[in-house]
Amino acid sequence: MIKAGIITISDRASSGERIDLSGPIIKEILKKFNELEIIDYIIISDEEKKIAKELKKMTDILKLDLIFTTGGTGLSDRDVTPEATKKIIQKEIPGISETMRQVSLKFTPNAILS
């Protein structure tokens, strides 16, 4: 069984100012895979230390195989998901990010900014 976690990174969603839409969509997509179990789903604010701490918890404590993050990848000063992720990963695979942007470009021209 593959164990997965989902982190939505959003100041407004974490404060209750807006509803998280992307996290539940990811959850529904993942439920289609019988060999995958969602262990944790959390909404946190756009704070680099908080993001890194949650990623570390999911990898080191919960021992998750996959972590899906959504949010915090724009151009504002608060969008620090990539920076937080780079601080804890052992090896970066740029092709995955490039492919996600290519697919996202089919839906929005803003995808290239993420």
Side-chain angles (χ1 to χ4, degrees):
M1 182 67 75
I2 297 169
K3 298 184 296 182
I6 303 166
I7 307 173
T8 295
I9 297 120
S10 167
D11 288 332
R12 292 187 300 166
S14 69
S15 70
E17 187 180 323
R18 83 170 173 95
I19 295 172
D20 173 31
L21 299 175
S22 58
I25 290 171
I26 294 169
K27 202 175 199 181
E28 286 306 309
I29 291 169
L30 296 179
K31 283 182 181 178
K32 295 176 184 177
F33 297 93
N34 294 330
E35 64 279 353
L36 191 141
E37 179 182 5
I38 300 166
I39 303 296
D40 199 8
Y41 162 58
I42 189 166
I43 302 170
I44 60 175
S45 59
D46 291 274
E47 296 174 44
E48 194 170 337
K49 286 182 182 179
K50 192 177 279 191
I51 298 164
K53 181 179 177 184
E54 190 61 36
L55 288 168
K56 290 291 278 179
K57 179 189 102 178
M58 288 188 174
T59 56
D60 296 352
I61 297 169
L62 298 178
K63 305 288 187 198
L64 301 184
D65 302 300
L66 294 170
I67 302 169
F68 296 85
T69 60
T70 178
T73 61
L75 297 176
S76 80
D77 290 341
R78 299 280 299 159
D79 293 323
V80 294
T81 302
E83 292 81 359
T85 303
K86 284 182 181 184
K87 286 187 175 181
I88 69 146
I89 62 173
Q90 294 174 352
K91 187 169 188 113
E92 186 173 1
I93 306 169
I96 293 173
S97 300
E98 292 166 9
T99 302
M100 287 190 305
R101 281 188 287 275
Q102 281 182 327
V103 171
S104 295
L105 275 171
K106 295 176 184 175
F107 303 98
T108 175
N110 294 333
I112 200 69
L113 301 174
S114 292

